[in-house]
Amino acid sequence: MKCWFDGQLVPLESVRVSPLAHSLHYGGAVFEGIRFYEFIHNGRRCVFRLEDHIHRLLASARIMGMESPYSTDELCEAVLSTVRQSDLYADYIRPVIFRGEGIGLNSENLRTHVMIALVVLPWQQTIKPIELVTSRFIRLHPQSTEITAKVAGHYVNSYLAAMEAKKAGADDALLLDHKGNVAETSIANVFFVKGESIFTPRLGSIFPGLTRDCIIDFCENFRPPKFGKMQIEQRDISLEEAMSADAMFVTGTACEVLPVAKLNGKQFDTQNPRVLFLQQMYWGMVLNSIPCHQPSWLSVVDSEDFPLAPKIERSL
Ligand code: PMP
């Protein structure tokens, strides 16, 4: 498999990174997780929200004081060319910007590298609602770091929480923020439904997910005849209020829109019509089986038909 490294498509195994790379020691690499999909109607592959991911990647790099040698357009094209040369019909893209060799916190004059790799993830064939438990770890304090940057070091917090939750028999952890309100899981944003209202933690102590942004956009722009306007609130949510919701779901590039079956043993409704509607909308957009009202969300990879492989089963 080829990856894009510092401007060129090269075999993944030929990439050499110094064991003294600054980002390896101090956790300052920034990265993104992007997905490309089989584009149902015209048989081409398509990257979802490519420009937004690359904008966020470059913003993260800037926050960490790294100057990318490549522009947004150059990186978008680099992602498209990496997917184009592969024979994968749908998978995961991992761009990383990191500092090269240099020991000591001073990072001036170190080389900035950019890598874009394709990752074959073990996607589950049947998409099952997940179980969460609250974590004893809290989400990073917004004054301890820049919470909007996707920095490798932040994920120590995520994987400690996820590891502990898995040991307790759950699929993932729900982390609270420093005020004790609900924040997010180790890798996804969270939403709740109670009666007609949909609510999600406001920005501040959470990572501003692009899938979260899609859900807010759907609620603001669609009026499904069954529900009328779907009101969405972004605000503080106590654990008590979360536990009293009818339904809960998580959102992220990898998990897409996924109902939560249980939180701390409390059962949620996994067939809530609002959750199912939002999940179907998201699947429809990424697969282009529902016309996308935001054309900039879809970047077509192939100029001609790509042979379609069997599709991931998308049912609960
Ligand atoms: N929160 C955290 C901590 C994450 O790592 C992710 C995944 N990037 C998300 C939320 C969801 O973000 P997105 O929808 O952009 O993938």
Side-chain angles (χ1 to χ4, degrees):
M1 182 122 65
K2 281 194 176 150
C3 75
W4 191 95
F5 186 65
D6 289 344
Q8 284 181 331
L9 278 169
V10 293
L12 190 64
E13 55 283 3
S14 74
V15 173
R16 295 199 47 208
V17 175
S18 168
L20 297 180
H22 190 272
S23 294
L24 177 65
H25 293 253
Y26 304 113
V30 299
F31 65 101
E32 276 298 320
I34 312 176
R35 272 179 86 165
F36 64 101
Y37 289 91
E38 66 277 24
F39 204 32
I40 269 175
H41 288 312
N42 64 4
R44 294 172 195 187
R45 292 169 294 180
C46 176
V47 181
F48 192 61
R49 300 206 65 167
L50 174 58
E51 243 184 80
D52 295 313
H53 279 287
I54 296 299
H55 277 308
R56 194 169 67 182
L57 177 71
L58 292 177
S60 298
R62 239 173 278 124
I63 286 172
M64 295 308 292
M66 289 186 283
E67 202 48 63
S68 164
Y70 308 98
S71 65
T72 305
D73 285 354
E74 285 168 330
L75 289 178
C76 287
E77 186 42 45
V79 168
L80 292 174
S81 64
T82 310
V83 176
R84 204 174 288 130
Q85 55 83 44
S86 85
D87 56 6
L88 299 170
Y89 77 99
D91 236 298
Y92 194 72
I93 306 159
R94 169 52 54 84
V96 190
I97 303 184
F98 62 98
R99 287 194 170 97
E101 198 164 301
I103 290 298
L105 282 186
N106 183 0
S107 56
E108 269 171 38
N109 303 323
L110 300 186
R111 182 150 180 214
T112 301
H113 295 285
V114 185
M115 199 254 324
I116 300 164
L118 301 182
V119 187
V120 181
L121 288 183
W123 305 114
Q124 280 161 356
Q125 283 304 300
T126 312
I127 296 155
K128 281 212 308 275
I130 54 167
E131 293 191 23
L132 300 176
V133 286
T134 44
S135 178
R136 75 189 160 98
F137 297 105
I138 61 160
R139 192 71 186 112
L140 297 168
H141 194 294
Q143 282 169 295
S144 299
T145 185
E146 295 281 1
I147 198 85
T148 59
K150 197 166 170 71
V151 182
H154 289 179
Y155 283 82
V156 173
N157 175 244
S158 288
Y159 75 66
L160 282 174
M163 207 160 59
E164 195 178 62
K166 282 186 182 134
K167 262 195 216 144
D171 296 299
D172 199 354
L174 175 69
L175 288 89
L176 305 181
D177 69 12
H178 64 284
K179 294 182 192 148
N181 291 317
V182 168
E184 57 189 332
T185 77
S186 68
I187 47 158
N189 294 117
V190 296
F191 288 77
F192 300 90
V193 182
K194 183 155 189 173
E196 294 187 355
S197 64
I198 304 176
F199 45 104
T200 189
R202 63 185 170 76
L203 298 179
S205 291
I206 60 168
F207 184 67
L210 288 170
T211 321
R212 174 184 184 276
D213 177 69
C214 289
I215 296 301
I216 294 168
D217 176 289
F218 295 163
C219 290
E220 285 170 353
N221 287 308
F222 294 100
R223 277 175 185 270
K226 227 165 140 188
F227 322 120
K229 178 134 180 67
M230 290 192 293
Q231 291 294 347
I232 181 137
E233 298 160 30
Q234 301 181 53
R235 58 175 171 79
D236 287 340
I237 301 164
S238 68
L239 183 58
E240 198 186 357
E241 186 183 12
M243 297 288 288
S244 74
D246 303 332
M248 176 181 185
F249 61 102
V250 296
T251 64
T253 299
C255 65
E256 301 175 317
V257 178
L258 189 59
V260 174
K262 281 186 185 168
L263 170 61
N264 296 340
K266 186 228 145 112
Q267 179 78 46
F268 288 116
D269 174 12
T270 57
Q271 299 294 317
N272 181 282
R274 285 177 173 77
V275 179
L276 296 184
F277 171 80
L278 291 165
Q279 184 184 47
Q280 295 297 334
M281 284 297 295
Y282 190 79
W283 287 349
M285 293 279 161
V286 295
L287 295 175
N288 199 34
S289 59
I290 295 175
C292 190
H293 64 300
Q294 305 278 14
S296 71
W297 287 1
L298 302 172
S299 301
V300 180
V301 172
D302 305 298
S303 53
E304 46 193 62
D305 279 8
F306 181 80
L308 279 185
K311 293 180 193 73
I312 299 170
E313 193 188 320
R314 289 172 182 278
S315 63
L316 284 176

